[in-house]
Amino acid sequence: MSEVKQPASALSSPRFCNMGTFMRMDKVDSAKGLDFAIAGAPFDTASSFRSGSRFGPNAIRNISAMMKPNNVLMQVNIMDGLQGGDIGDFPVIPGYIHPTYKAIEEGVKGIIDEDAVPIVLGGDHSITLAELRAVAKKHGPVALVHFDSHSDLCDEVFGEKYNHGTPFRRALEEGLIDPSHSIQIGMRGSLYDPDEHKMAAELGMLLIPGHKVREMGSKKLLETALERVGDKPCFLTFDIDFVDPAYAPGTGTPEVGGFTSWESLEMVRGLKDLNFIGMDLVEVLPAYDHGEITAYLGANIVFEFLSILATKKK
């Protein structure tokens, strides 16, 4: 008879951690021998408006039980082509961003040290800085493909340097991303500073706001992204508020005038030729979406990314 284990103490691991697995995959303790590892970073204390994205990883995992392994459009079965599993949640510390950054960085490092691709479920967008710290130590400055309605290039928010509106300014300062090969897509909405989008160009980034994406069309956008990134090791970060709140209402800082779920999946799928070495999906806030459509879209975006990895291996 197997030993009955006590649940983890809530004094060492928050109660919202480690409650399920993505697509009912095996729970794994290590990324050894795997092509990819799903992980959660349920941290939301850097949110500037609505909090609650700490429950995003669990919501995404729960509804992902609906999903099947075959991607018909890409003609690939992700679990036939890949070895992977869900490694659980990093030991975040609610309210303390720097110890949480350390935990996330160490967790991502453990995945990439095994030559597996980390796929992290957030959490607010501040978590990406810690992931990029781990990734850059192995790959050097990486190309960033950033889908979002906000550029997250602020220098300070509320007088603080570390917030979900500042991660890519800090990442540039730390030399974690190569701005000349990076692209930000979909920014829109009202701003305090009318020149905020110009800031990206001043920092060496290419930012294509939402209305320009509409003018270009998805084909031209994808051609631009592929040319910009080239064969550089690339990290994909997808903020669910890139999607219009009609399709993804469960998020902390929604912006109207966004993209449909179909367009979002199509754009990710269109990046299949890039040299991806990691990704995250952030800002799912399930309390504002009783129908789970936001979490389900998040799960499907991860599925498209997994399909890209499976296609490349195939």
Side-chain angles (χ1 to χ4, degrees):
M1 184 175 178
S2 61
E3 179 186 355
V4 177
K5 295 183 178 180
Q6 294 293 322
S9 168
L11 298 178
S12 60
S13 177
R15 279 177 285 249
F16 47 79
C17 288
N18 299 308
M19 299 174 70
T21 66
F22 187 79
M23 286 182 67
R24 299 180 297 139
M25 294 177 183
D26 287 344
K27 177 72 183 297
V28 296
D29 296 322
S30 163
K32 187 175 180 62
L34 303 183
D35 296 305
F36 71 89
I38 307 285
F43 181 81
D44 65 3
T45 318
S47 300
S48 57
F49 189 52
R50 298 169 172 169
S51 61
S53 59
R54 66 178 61 183
F55 301 109
N58 188 46
I60 294 167
R61 286 174 169 128
N62 282 345
I63 195 64
S64 72
M66 284 280 294
M67 297 169 61
K68 298 90 176 175
N70 283 288
N71 188 319
V72 176
L73 292 179
M74 296 187 72
Q75 286 293 290
V76 67
N77 181 310
I78 62 169
M79 300 314 293
D80 280 349
L82 298 171
Q83 294 290 322
D86 193 318
I87 205 166
D89 291 332
F90 301 135
V92 302
I93 303 176
Y96 297 87
I97 195 167
H98 294 294
T100 291
Y101 276 167
K102 183 178 179 182
I104 295 171
E105 182 180 348
E106 289 177 354
V108 173
K109 181 180 183 297
I111 296 171
I112 60 178
D113 281 352
E114 298 292 349
D115 295 321
V117 175
I119 300 172
V120 181
L121 311 176
D124 68 48
H125 220 154
S126 70
I127 67 170
T128 310
L129 177 60
E131 299 162 49
L132 291 171
R133 285 173 176 170
V135 167
K137 284 179 179 176
K138 178 163 186 174
H139 298 282
V142 296
L144 184 75
V145 176
H146 175 201
F147 290 93
D148 205 328
S149 63
H150 311 99
S151 69
D152 295 345
L153 287 170
C154 295
D155 184 34
E156 293 182 351
V157 176
F158 311 131
E160 297 295 326
K161 295 284 190 179
Y162 297 91
N163 174 276
H164 75 161
T166 67
F168 304 115
R169 173 64 74 93
R170 302 287 87 80
L172 287 166
E173 291 171 351
E174 294 180 25
L176 309 179
I177 58 179
D178 180 347
S180 66
H181 287 277
S182 297
I183 185 168
Q184 298 181 291
I185 300 167
M187 288 73 214
R188 62 186 188 274
S190 55
L191 298 169
Y192 290 109
D193 182 350
D195 295 325
E196 182 176 312
H197 290 171
K198 295 179 182 178
M199 184 195 311
E202 293 168 359
L203 294 169
M205 306 279 278
L206 174 61
L207 185 153
I208 304 179
H211 68 281
K212 290 292 184 182
V213 174
R214 292 290 185 199
E215 293 172 9
M216 296 170 70
S218 60
K219 182 179 179 181
K220 180 63 176 176
L221 171 73
L222 291 169
E223 289 173 354
T224 301
L226 293 172
E227 181 180 356
R228 177 78 174 182
V229 176
D231 60 359
K232 185 88 174 172
C234 176
F235 188 92
L236 172 66
T237 184
F238 196 106
D239 188 321
I240 205 70
D241 70 29
F242 170 82
V243 186
D244 191 273
Y247 299 87
T251 192
T253 48
E255 298 287 356
V256 299
F259 299 88
T260 69
S261 53
W262 166 257
E263 289 171 325
S264 302
L265 296 170
E266 182 184 38
M267 288 182 201
V268 172
R269 197 181 302 124
L271 299 172
K272 64 183 183 299
D273 293 327
L274 294 182
N275 178 22
F276 286 116
I277 47 79
M279 82 156 292
D280 66 16
L281 186 288
V282 300
E283 299 285 357
V284 170
L285 202 168
Y288 287 87
D289 177 10
H290 71 280
E292 299 181 278
I293 59 174
T294 309
Y296 194 43
L297 177 56
N300 275 273
I301 290 166
V302 173
F303 176 72
E304 294 295 340
F305 183 80
L306 287 169
S307 300
I308 291 173
L309 298 184
T311 300
K312 284 181 174 294
K313 188 171 182 183
K314 180 180 176 182

